[in-house]
Amino acid sequence: MFNIFQRKSKKDAKLFYTTDVHSHILPGVDHGSQSVEESLEMLQAQLDMGISHVMCTSHVTAETFENTPESLTAAYEELKNAIAREGLPINIYVSAEYRIDEYWTQEYEAGHLLPLPGNHVLLENSFAQELIGIDNMMFDLQVKGYRPILAHPERYRYYNDRRDRYKTLHNASVKFQINILSLAGYFGKGARERALWLIQNNLCDMLGSDMHNMEHAQIIKEYIGSRDWRKLCDKYNLPGRIINDKDFGF
């Protein structure tokens, strides 16, 4: 899948921004990192790619990962202490990737959110079908002072033949975050094609690693050193359009 990107790759390539808005690096709270040691290795990979601010957006999902502010903060403090012991020059921030489901409704209504800096909230839609009432929910979030970000919209296949929905949501001030893994082809041709379409149509505000493990880190490293990545950045002026750092104040 990645052979085309491994050819003529530039070693030690750096991203043009310093803030990763989507990662699963907190240890032991979802199917991302399973230990502090693994988290530290993943953070070193982030540093190698030029990242110095990492948003820890662990899953909050009904039945599978019913995390709470308490469970996420405990893992965050453990990792933060390990970072200090190791002397890694990187900053981490605790938040979540909230799946829009019944558990989200419960936690949102109870006021149990852990927003990202700037009151951003990273939201994951269902992979089966679009949530009924999502437009009203996004509006309600904004009325309450939150700034919604839709995680990896390119991965929702049901938008493939309904791309007007992308524009409707984005025009309603919902920011879109695309996965670099999608651009690298990790999630298949469909996700990559939709990611490119979103970029071409000015519907990509942020990029994220969505890093769960060192395999993901290696794929991203290889891709951002590839000719394909450099051509994409130049053609669509991604350094001038992606607001990862600007919107978080870094």
Side-chain angles (χ1 to χ4, degrees), residues 36-46 214:
V36 170
E37 293 72 24
E38 184 178 6
S39 296
L40 291 173
E41 189 178 8
M42 292 164 69
L43 287 171
Q44 183 59 60
Q46 294 266 25
M214 284 303 296

Side-chain angles (χ1 to χ4, degrees), residues 16-17 20-21 177-178 180 183 204 206-208 229 242 244:
F16 57 80
Y17 53 85
D20 187 7
V21 303
Q177 173 263 305
I178 285 176
I180 294 181
L183 293 169
C204 174
M206 301 175 181
L207 295 171
W229 169 251
I242 297 301
N244 286 38

Side-chain angles (χ1 to χ4, degrees), residues 65-96:
F65 303 112
E66 293 189 346
N67 281 303
T68 63
E70 292 75 20
S71 67
L72 296 175
T73 300
Y76 164 75
E77 291 295 341
E78 182 182 19
L79 182 55
K80 189 175 179 182
N81 290 336
I83 290 169
R85 287 195 302 271
E86 295 295 321
L88 289 182
I90 198 162
N91 302 296
I92 63 170
Y93 306 80
V94 61
S95 186

